[in-house]
Amino acid sequence: MQHDKVLIVDFGSQYTQLIARRVRELNIYSEIHPFNKIPTNVDDYKAVILSGSPMSVRSDEAFHPDLKGIRGEKPMLAVCYGAQYLAHFSGGEVAESNTREYGRANLSFVQENEPFLTGISVGSQVWMSHSDTIKKLPTNGKLLASTHDVENAAYKIEGETTYAIQFHPEVYHSTDGKQLLENFLVQISNVTPDWTPNAFVEETVDALKAQLGNDKVVLGLSGGVDSSVAAMLLHKAIGKNLYCIFVNNGLLRKNEFTSVLEQYEGMGLNVKGVDASARFLDALAGLSDPEKKRKAIGRVFIEVFDDEAHQIQDVTWLAQGTIYPDVIESVSATGGPSATIKSHHNVGGLPDFMKLKIVEPLKALFKDEVRRVGASMGMDKNLLGRHPFPGPGLAIRILGDITAEKVRILQEVDAVFIDGLRSWDLYDKVWQAGAILLPVNSVGVMGDERTYEKVVALRAVESTDGMTADWVDLPYKFLQKVSNDIINKVKGVNRVVYDISSKPPATIEWE
Ligand code: XMP
């Protein structure tokens, strides 16, 4: 079954992904494409949204999209830069703003009997984020809404199905933003909102069956949400022809290898657990530099995985749990992430010598959608709600070199912290949590004895995608209890500290 699709033209705004998410929350499938790589098959899209941008339309380098086949021919909603773009280059005027136009504002005028604004009224809160302002509407522009500081907050172009708004409907602070998107997409553009997790599962399974036939597929499970949901989809499509490999690198959480393996078996997956802990620890011996540690782990993983994959006769596909943000990052309007800060993440993956074809059943989904798809297949809530955990695992939470004893200490500390979060009902309120073993000893006193033992840091952050993060204000009582438990139960640790740095300027992991 074909679903209506929405095209989001990206001008590099920090909020572009949010637009796609909000649209998808309406059960409407949307795709982001950079303004300079708009797909040629625009007819496949039922409506178009132009995003915001850090760029000014008054700049010599202003971004110029090619709107052939779109402007005046399809319903189009222009947000922020998009709205200014239409004004500036179509008979209106944009100038530098002399009042601050950032943050919350309230609508002071709303055009009545305008379908685009159904359910939206004077007083409705909107989120502004711009330094230019629209002084004069473009030719045939008709004012639809204003705020106290921004007269031209929303307009339409008469004779076209073109709407423009200066504020950001995709940001939660625009309290009626979702309603506005629904007005535009469902009421005005006649998009059918039928892109549900169940529909996704059904169609993906059918497509995988057609694509893979009787071929064999190998997939590396990590215990994380993405690889687990990818495995479940493939399992539904091809059953025993999916060969899952779950490698224990010895740097997982305490008891994780056995408990997750059991869970996978319980799901009916054809999974092989490979305990390669010793091989990883050997490769890491004496390495202290974070990037060298990551590379060593990456290399051994590929070796182990490749050995295992070779034991499966006639395997021709490699499945990966790549998700949509990984895909759009690599083609973004502004050329992807600004700098490589850490050589991380599961990219760069396939070693040449494996020569397998790639299948990526989740590559159209955001993380929260992956969870919803998993839930619609009846997967366990605990598995779907797990915090992200880095591929190199505890290796990048043991600062400096790694030994089996350090891994043991950190696994114990981490288990006390994570179990504590669960029993205090805090686990699901935190995006990611873990403990870090510091490469220093500190003096302590236990009984009458002086101790000289390890210091551990606890880290808990809130985030939506890991790109930015804030430390979580965990209750003091909880921290007190966890700290006591750690020092009393974990031999070798005599001090616990709590990390109160946000990202940026810090990162989530310490290495
Ligand atoms: P940072 O430390 O860069 O982390 O703020 C952002 C998110 O990425 C995870 N992370 C990794 N994941 N391999 C991974 O698979 C890595 O080498 C790696 N380093 C960081 C981190 O746990 C957080 O969720």
Side-chain angles (χ1 to χ4, degrees):
M1 180 187 168
Q2 281 289 348
H3 299 277
D4 291 340
K5 294 201 289 187
V6 172
L7 169 65
I8 298 169
V9 176
D10 180 29
F11 295 106
S13 161
Q14 57 173 329
Y15 297 135
T16 306
Q17 287 203 22
L18 274 185
I19 304 181
R21 287 195 206 184
R22 290 293 161 271
V23 171
R24 287 162 172 226
E25 281 170 16
L26 296 168
N27 291 334
I28 294 170
Y29 180 69
S30 64
E31 278 175 9
I32 299 174
H33 291 274
F35 73 92
N36 49 0
K37 293 188 196 120
I38 296 178
T40 45
N41 54 340
V42 283
D43 279 347
D44 290 358
Y45 300 89
K46 194 106 185 232
V48 178
I49 299 178
L50 306 185
S51 85
S53 178
M55 177 63 80
S56 165
V57 292
R58 297 178 301 110
S59 155
D60 290 343
E61 284 108 54
F63 298 147
H64 289 275
D66 176 4
L67 297 177
K68 207 163 70 237
I70 297 177
R71 170 96 196 253
E73 298 189 38
K74 283 186 178 296
M76 183 169 85
L77 172 63
V79 175
C80 195
Y81 179 91
Q84 298 183 353
Y85 182 83
L86 293 187
H88 195 61
F89 294 103
S90 309
E93 188 192 338
V94 172
E96 192 174 359
S97 150
N98 42 24
T99 50
R100 185 170 166 274
E101 293 179 358
Y102 185 83
R104 293 177 176 80
N106 297 91
L107 296 180
S108 55
F109 160 72
V110 171
Q111 175 65 46
E112 280 175 20
N113 299 324
E114 166 53 57
F116 180 58
L117 297 172
T118 305
I120 289 151
S121 46
V122 168
S124 174
Q125 179 180 295
V126 295
W127 184 259
M128 294 286 183
S129 176
H130 56 113
S131 47
D132 283 354
T133 198
I134 300 169
K135 287 278 181 223
K136 183 174 157 236
L137 294 182
T139 311
N140 297 330
K142 176 169 188 244
L143 184 65
L144 294 185
S146 312
T147 66
H148 182 263
D149 289 324
V150 181
E151 189 193 351
N152 295 316
Y155 65 87
K156 70 175 175 185
I157 297 188
E158 294 196 290
E160 299 177 15
T161 321
T162 299
Y163 294 81
I165 42 179
Q166 181 60 78
F167 53 89
H168 289 269
E170 67 277 20
V171 174
Y172 276 123
H173 304 292
S174 289
T175 41
D176 296 320
K178 202 164 162 184
Q179 174 75 52
L180 200 80
L181 289 171
E182 187 172 351
N183 290 345
F184 170 69
L185 293 170
V186 182
Q187 270 65 272
I188 294 174
S189 312
N190 289 321
V191 174
T192 311
D194 59 0
W195 191 68
T196 58
N198 281 339
F200 176 86
V201 172
E202 248 173 61
E203 284 154 28
T204 306
V205 168
D206 285 348
L208 288 171
K209 278 184 184 155
Q211 181 181 16
L212 302 170
N214 274 328
D215 292 356
K216 288 184 185 171
V217 178
V218 61
L219 175 145
L221 282 169
S222 70
V225 180
D226 302 343
S227 64
S228 306
V229 174
M232 207 50 199
L233 280 166
L234 282 153
H235 174 70
K236 272 179 174 289
I238 59 167
K240 294 286 174 212
N241 272 344
L242 172 68
Y243 291 77
C244 300
I245 297 170
F246 181 29
V247 176
N248 183 6
N249 57 13
L251 301 154
L252 303 174
R253 297 197 133 114
K254 187 180 171 187
N255 297 334
E256 177 143 287
F257 182 58
T258 36
S259 66
V260 173
L261 194 55
E262 276 168 18
Q263 209 166 1
Y264 283 141
E265 284 162 354
M267 285 154 57
L269 293 179
N270 177 12
V271 53
K272 177 165 181 198
V274 182
D275 188 357
S277 311
R279 217 160 137 182
F280 282 89
L281 272 184
D282 275 357
L284 285 165
L287 297 183
S288 297
D289 178 75
E291 293 305 287
K292 288 196 177 130
K293 292 199 273 185
R294 279 193 174 81
K295 295 218 162 78
I297 292 169
R299 189 191 66 240
V300 177
F301 180 82
I302 286 169
E303 285 166 16
V304 172
F305 192 82
D306 200 44
D307 286 352
E308 291 300 324
H310 273 113
Q311 292 178 29
I312 310 164
Q313 290 233 313
D314 305 325
V315 62
T316 43
W317 294 87
L318 174 71
Q320 292 191 323
T322 317
I323 63 172
Y324 194 48
D326 307 330
V327 178
I328 30 184
E329 208 155 79
S330 59
V331 294
S332 81
T334 45
S338 48
T340 305
I341 299 171
K342 296 174 186 176
S343 69
H344 57 29
H345 310 281
N346 316 313
V347 283
L350 184 70
D352 270 354
F353 52 91
M354 284 179 71
K355 300 279 189 291
L356 296 172
K357 293 180 274 185
I358 303 274
V359 51
E360 298 172 312
L362 306 178
K363 74 168 185 241
L365 300 186
F366 286 111
K367 191 91 177 181
D368 43 338
E369 294 167 343
V370 174
R371 293 203 168 95
R372 264 180 274 148
V373 163
S376 87
M377 292 189 288
M379 289 172 69
D380 184 74
K381 251 177 56 198
N382 279 333
L383 185 64
L384 297 176
R386 299 180 81 187
H387 290 172
F389 188 68
L394 300 181
I396 55 168
R397 295 186 180 165
I398 294 171
L399 308 195
D401 72 317
I402 292 164
T403 62
E405 173 63 0
K406 289 181 185 174
V407 174
R408 183 200 65 79
I409 292 178
L410 188 57
Q411 279 178 333
E412 296 296 334
V413 171
D414 179 78
V416 173
F417 184 34
I418 299 296
D419 291 349
L421 285 169
R422 285 199 192 279
S423 60
W424 282 59
D425 222 9
L426 292 165
Y427 186 85
D428 292 331
K429 301 188 174 89
V430 168
W431 190 78
Q432 186 172 18
I436 298 102
L437 185 68
L438 306 190
V440 283
N441 280 25
S442 85
V443 172
V445 54
M446 284 194 195
D448 292 333
E449 300 276 319
R450 174 189 185 275
T451 60
Y452 189 56
E453 295 178 333
K454 287 280 172 240
V455 183
V456 292
L458 304 182
R459 181 102 166 113
V461 297
E462 358 187 87
S463 176
T464 44
D465 50 14
M467 302 294 281
T468 59
D470 219 338
W471 58 278
V472 181
D473 190 2
L474 290 174
Y476 277 174
K477 286 275 169 224
F478 168 76
L479 289 171
Q480 184 185 35
K481 168 90 170 89
V482 165
S483 162
N484 273 343
D485 284 354
I486 290 172
I487 293 172
N488 287 335
K489 291 182 189 160
V490 186
K491 200 162 157 281
V493 175
N494 68 0
R495 193 173 296 266
V496 176
V497 297
Y498 186 52
D499 182 351
I500 52 167
S501 333
S502 49
K503 171 183 180 175
T507 49
I508 295 175
E509 306 294 345
W510 282 40
E511 283 196 338

